[in-house]
Amino acid sequence: MKGRYGDIWDELFSGLWEANVEEAYFKNKVALVTGASRGIGRAIAESLSLCGARVIANYHKSEKEITSLVESLQNKHCAIEALRADVTNGKEVERMVDEVVKRYERIDILINNAGLKRDSFLALMSDEDWVEVIDTNLKSVYYVTKWVSRIMMRQHEGKIINMSSLSAFKGLAGQANYAASKGGVISFTRAVARELGRFGIQVNAVAPGLIETDILKDMDKEALKELIQGIPLGRIGTVGDIVGAVLFLASNHSDYIAGQTLLIDGGLGI
Ligand SMILES: NC(=O)c1ccc[n+]([C@@H]2O[C@H](COP(=O)([O-])OP(=O)(O)OC[C@H]3O[C@@H](n4cnc5c(N)ncnc54)[C@H](OP(=O)(O)O)[C@@H]3O)[C@@H](O)[C@H]2O)c1
């Protein structure tokens, strides 16, 4: 398998290709992934775990899904466990981070992935939909990053990757709440990258375009079809398309990158 993707990628994905946790790139790194029960977060948690990291897979409601993920990876001798917390609740986040530190004594990688959307035209938007989206996609990033950064500052190292969206760049009708939350994530990423850089902590974001997960299932089929036709790479993205960039930003190969947001959208946002 080695040599297939060039040195950097072979090294990063060594666990994935060979299921050899002992030699894997992220061996002994402790990674907290929020919203790991489904979609993009699940794929990131799985990949980090297969690449040797000790993964704490946060979830909120999808107990069955997270249990199947954890069991399948534990059967492959990966170190992964689930931790329930509603990331919009500051107290629950504080307890979650305390629990991780009690068990593992450190946190090397934080993936702020949990998110949702509640699309509607602004004139018709309910206050509840505005608040839920801002709380889940942005306030959660504030809570989790605040508590985890205290641990990483003590360690003098850490990688934080936030989940933004193409929607922050390309105003999509019906997504005023979602776009505002994801634009906030980009600005938050820049400000916090500046604060934490001197502590050896790199904070970056990724902004996926259209990725095939549950989040798209209530999207208008015609609007989705039209958007897909406009993608220069000619297809909708998969969770695997996001994983590579996240593993790169979580690795030491990105040590001189801070405050950036990487669009992963098949060119839709060009
Ligand atoms: N898919 C796309 O096209 C796309 C594009 C751009 C950006 N993104 C972003 O990528 C991230 C993942 O999206 P996805 O498509 O994978 O969505 P998804 O399949 O709907 O999964 C969302 C995940 O977020 C978790 N979550 C939601 N609210 C939570 C809360 N209060 N506390 C803890 N976890 C919570 C869910 O956990 P439970 O099910 O356990 O509650 C689930 O694991 C989101 O931030 C999303 O905005 C996605």
Side-chain angles (χ1 to χ4, degrees):
M1 291 286 194
K2 279 213 188 276
R4 202 210 282 179
Y5 292 89
D7 290 347
I8 289 178
W9 297 104
D10 280 338
E11 193 185 343
L12 277 176
F13 288 124
S14 55
L16 277 183
W17 303 144
E18 290 154 22
N20 183 351
V21 176
E22 280 310 302
E23 287 179 14
Y25 183 87
F26 290 104
K27 190 182 172 202
N28 293 331
K29 296 286 183 194
V30 177
L32 171 61
V33 183
T34 70
S37 50
R38 294 181 290 115
I40 296 171
R42 183 185 180 96
I44 293 169
E46 180 176 34
S47 306
L48 280 168
S49 171
L50 286 167
C51 291
R54 286 181 264 175
V55 174
I56 298 87
N58 159 260
Y59 72 105
H60 185 211
K61 295 182 179 153
S62 302
E63 182 133 24
K64 206 169 89 206
E65 287 82 351
I66 201 81
T67 305
S68 79
L69 175 74
V70 166
E71 282 179 359
S72 74
L73 286 163
Q74 286 177 346
N75 286 339
K76 292 179 182 159
H77 308 291
C78 293
I80 182 166
E81 54 185 308
L83 205 48
R84 206 207 73 85
D86 174 356
V87 290
T88 67
N89 181 315
K91 289 278 164 252
E92 289 192 24
V93 170
E94 194 181 340
R95 268 202 299 275
M96 172 175 71
V97 174
D98 279 353
E99 191 55 42
V100 175
V101 175
K102 210 186 304 166
R103 291 183 203 177
Y104 297 103
E105 292 175 359
R106 58 185 296 115
I107 301 176
D108 300 287
I109 298 163
L110 165 63
I111 315 290
N112 275 315
N113 163 79
L116 51 74
K117 68 182 181 61
R118 297 280 180 265
D119 292 358
S120 83
F121 286 111
L122 180 65
L124 304 172
M125 190 175 285
S126 70
D127 293 352
E128 288 75 19
D129 281 355
W130 174 268
V131 170
E132 189 182 10
V133 168
I134 299 291
D135 281 3
T136 310
N137 297 356
L138 183 58
K139 192 170 82 172
S140 68
V141 178
Y142 154 71
Y143 282 141
V144 184
T145 308
K146 180 166 87 171
W147 293 110
V148 170
S149 69
R150 294 180 181 197
I151 312 301
M152 289 181 171
M153 284 163 79
R154 282 209 303 266
Q155 296 166 185
H156 272 268
E157 65 176 326
K159 299 275 188 181
I160 299 175
I161 295 128
N162 299 324
M163 203 56 71
S164 179
S165 168
L166 170 68
S167 185
F169 297 89
K170 194 178 170 82
L172 294 178
Q175 294 203 330
N177 49 0
Y178 188 74
S181 71
K182 295 301 186 178
V185 167
I186 294 173
S187 302
F188 178 91
T189 299
R190 287 189 180 148
V192 177
R194 220 172 243 287
E195 283 185 25
L196 297 181
R198 73 192 61 191
F199 295 95
I201 302 163
Q202 289 91 53
V203 188
N204 291 291
V206 294
L210 286 174
I211 306 300
E212 206 163 9
T213 69
D214 291 348
I215 211 169
L216 297 186
K217 71 181 175 209
D218 60 351
M219 213 169 151
D220 179 73
K221 295 283 169 286
E222 278 310 305
L224 188 60
K225 210 168 128 192
E226 212 173 290
L227 274 170
I228 293 170
Q229 278 166 357
I231 299 174
L233 294 188
R235 65 170 176 87
I236 195 166
T238 66
V239 292
D241 290 321
I242 307 302
V243 165
V246 170
L247 291 190
F248 167 68
L249 289 173
S251 79
N252 294 122
H253 296 294
S254 66
D255 278 353
Y256 203 52
I257 301 177
Q260 296 301 307
T261 299
L262 180 59
L263 260 174
I264 310 167
D265 64 348
L268 184 56
I270 291 171

